[in-house]
Amino acid sequence: MSSNESAAGIAHVYRGTFVHATYHTAVEILEDRLLGVDTEGKIAFIGSGKEVDRLSQKWGFEAFAVTQLGQHEFFMPGMVDTHIHASQYSYAGTALDMPLLQWLNMYTFPVEACYKDLEFARNVYTHVVKRTLRNGTTTACYFATIHTDASLLLGQIANDLGQRALVGKVINSYPLVRPVVTPRFAPSCSATLLGHLGEIAQNNDLHIQSHISETKEEVSLVKELFPDYDSYTDVYHRHNLLTDKTVMAHGCHLTDGELKLFRETGASIAHCPNSNISLCSGMLDVRRVLNHKVKLGLGTDVAGGYSPSMLDAVRRTLDTSKALTIQDTQYHTLTFEEVFRLATLGGSQALSLDENTGNFEVGKDFDALRVNTDAAGGPIDLINHGEGPKVESNLLASSGDDRNIVEVYVAGKRVVPFVERP
Ligand code: GUN
Ligand code: FE
């Protein structure tokens, strides 16, 4: 048996079009492929549809058991939300009338205090996990609150509903859920606390998440609170909180020197364009971050961002890039294909989970969205315009939405549509 072949048997085989990003190509469209998923939920093989007979013999599945995608269907990788506040979902779409620091005091902190009530937490956390799964988020990096029991519950709910998740503050692990050390942001932490958190992360090889340089006012505040540090980034770095398992949200106002520190440590940025605009925080220049070779994924940042949908994050990323182009016509605008990669493989790299998820490679978990551009009751009118652009490749950038996501798979298991338990 070659090293590519898993010892587990084949559980499912799908035939049709697969669209994904690779390390070399922003969007690769694989037509008439056969993809096998083993009993552990991992991709066992990818071959040509024409080779169904040979592959069925080699892998021991019945050709009639293959699931054939419809004419207007394709699989794409599940999307990775690299930054979302589960505890803020209850007021998403409201309260966007003041800048960050006032917004936190006026709306966010009072709501987050409610999570001492476990039933309140259970209700919101169940809704946010279900909603983001329906929206195609197969991996989410969640902020919760300081309440241990409620954070444990979020991990359990994500695991039970079948979503891959990082949950902060630190919690036990479930099969799909890992803990993430979560200082909220430097202004709410003492240097001593940051030091201890860095130690915990280092001693246990844990993920780390926080916020950085979201607004100019916040950057000034950090300068006041931490006068002995070179920069906002230096505050985290000197406490061992910048590692290749760190994801920092926003980073709108980072200097070149700070981006260099991100590159050197392997830390990544969660780009949250809806939030950046909704709270008037700034416009992150993603091209500049990518030119610095810093890893970057997309985040919804609910409820600073009003939408829990990663398709929205894709659109807002393009909008911000185009706004930067309006300001500077020489600007190298992001392409739709690049943003598709950021929403999938880029996010998994930003969370250092790309060994497990992010695209369709043999050995990775099958985290996938079955997309039907012609879904019943969906928002797209398929109009044949001959040699014009393909509707499929335009789906995320234009008129599609979660009604086109007809099934969601995480680690090979179908998790949407939900099967309500008796
Ligand atoms: N900075 C610190 N806390 C928060 C938060 O909850 N949301 C956002 N957008 N920024 C923050
Ligand atoms: Fe945030």
Side-chain angles (χ1 to χ4, degrees):
M1 194 183 284
S2 84
S3 59
N4 270 352
E5 296 174 24
S6 94
I10 298 301
H12 297 284
V13 181
Y14 304 95
R15 183 171 179 175
T17 301
F18 293 80
V19 181
H20 73 158
T22 71
Y23 295 94
H24 310 290
T25 311
V27 174
E28 185 174 67
I29 299 177
L30 307 167
E31 289 182 328
D32 192 23
R33 289 301 200 282
L34 208 56
L35 180 148
V37 180
D38 70 21
T39 51
E40 289 170 359
K42 294 188 187 309
I43 300 171
F45 65 85
I46 302 172
S48 162
K50 292 180 192 67
E51 292 193 285
V52 60
D53 291 334
R54 185 182 72 76
L55 289 167
S56 69
Q57 277 189 4
K58 176 173 175 190
W59 292 94
F61 62 89
E62 303 289 349
F64 63 77
V66 173
T67 301
Q68 172 75 51
L69 295 192
Q71 188 196 349
H72 297 293
E73 291 188 311
F74 63 92
F75 272 115
M76 62 172 275
M79 290 180 281
V80 180
D81 188 340
T82 60
H83 184 78
I84 172 168
H85 296 259
S87 47
Q88 296 172 15
Y89 183 57
S90 61
Y91 63 100
T94 69
L96 294 169
D97 57 344
M98 44 182 74
L100 175 70
L101 299 178
Q102 290 94 312
W103 174 85
L104 286 170
N105 284 322
M106 177 70 100
Y107 303 113
T108 302
F109 296 153
V111 170
E112 291 192 354
C114 298
Y115 286 78
K116 62 180 185 299
D117 175 349
L118 263 190
E119 286 319 302
F120 179 84
R122 184 188 309 278
N123 185 34
V124 180
Y125 287 165
T126 302
H127 278 296
V128 71
V129 172
K130 283 189 163 185
R131 174 62 60 193
T132 53
L133 274 173
R134 269 200 296 262
N135 288 156
T137 301
T138 51
T139 300
C141 185
Y142 285 117
F143 265 65
T145 63
I146 57 167
H147 309 92
T148 308
D149 289 349
S151 301
L152 282 166
L153 186 60
L154 172 58
Q156 190 196 324
I157 289 168
N159 191 71
D160 287 353
L161 288 168
Q163 187 174 54
R164 195 182 298 283
L166 294 168
V167 177
K169 62 183 201 172
V170 173
I171 61 156
N172 299 343
S173 288
Y174 294 92
L176 287 173
V177 178
R178 296 188 202 184
V180 44
V181 172
T182 304
R184 180 171 210 123
F185 66 160
S188 62
C189 301
S190 65
T192 312
L193 175 61
L194 291 173
H196 285 313
L197 291 174
E199 235 171 80
I200 291 172
Q202 196 166 40
N203 293 340
N204 300 281
D205 190 26
L206 295 174
H207 281 83
I208 297 163
Q209 64 177 345
S210 191
H211 297 86
I212 196 166
S213 287
E214 181 173 357
T215 73
K216 288 186 175 164
E217 199 185 359
E218 173 203 2
V219 175
S220 304
L221 179 61
V222 170
K223 215 170 256 165
E224 255 170 59
L225 294 172
F226 296 88
D228 300 333
Y229 294 79
D230 295 342
S231 65
Y232 198 159
T233 302
D234 190 42
V235 174
Y236 293 129
H237 183 50
R238 293 224 325 242
H239 295 105
N240 299 317
L241 289 164
L242 281 196
T243 74
D244 65 358
K245 291 173 91 172
T246 297
V247 59
M248 289 282 167
H250 305 287
C252 301
H253 307 285
L254 294 172
T255 63
D256 285 337
E258 290 180 285
L259 285 171
K260 192 158 166 272
L261 257 184
F262 270 76
R263 166 77 194 279
E264 285 166 4
T265 55
S268 67
I269 290 177
H271 174 45
C272 305
N274 187 318
S275 171
N276 290 344
I277 297 292
S278 292
L279 295 177
C280 300
S281 302
M283 291 197 283
L284 176 65
D285 182 343
V286 171
R287 179 67 67 201
R288 177 165 160 258
V289 175
L290 297 179
N291 286 344
H292 274 275
K293 300 214 166 0
V294 172
K295 294 185 292 181
L296 182 141
L298 307 186
T300 58
D301 194 28
V302 164
Y306 58 75
S307 171
S309 164
M310 283 295 294
L311 293 178
D312 174 84
V314 166
R315 294 186 181 121
R316 301 291 155 247
T317 297
L318 284 163
D319 283 355
T320 293
S321 191
K322 287 178 183 187
L324 293 171
T325 308
I326 292 168
Q327 291 179 344
D328 170 11
T329 52
Q330 299 302 306
Y331 187 73
H332 187 185
T333 322
L334 293 174
T335 64
F336 160 68
E337 287 83 356
E338 286 178 296
V339 181
F340 172 87
R341 170 153 59 188
L342 295 178
T344 54
L345 184 61
S348 72
Q349 289 176 280
L351 300 181
S352 283
L353 294 176
D354 56 314
E355 273 189 24
N356 297 117
T357 188
N359 66 356
F360 299 128
E361 269 181 36
V362 170
K364 288 194 182 185
D365 286 2
F366 185 63
D367 288 1
L369 313 181
R370 181 171 178 169
V371 177
N372 183 353
T373 53
D374 201 26
I380 300 177
D381 291 312
L382 286 183
I383 295 169
N384 188 349
H385 46 127
E387 292 302 301
K390 272 205 158 183
V391 174
E392 278 81 354
S393 64
N394 226 6
L395 172 78
L396 302 186
S398 57
S399 52
D401 66 24
D402 65 328
R403 287 169 289 181
N404 297 103
I405 300 172
V406 292
E407 290 177 348
V408 177
Y409 293 81
V410 176
K413 187 169 161 249
R414 202 187 75 188
V415 296
V416 173
F418 302 113
V419 181
E420 295 298 339
R421 273 179 250 162

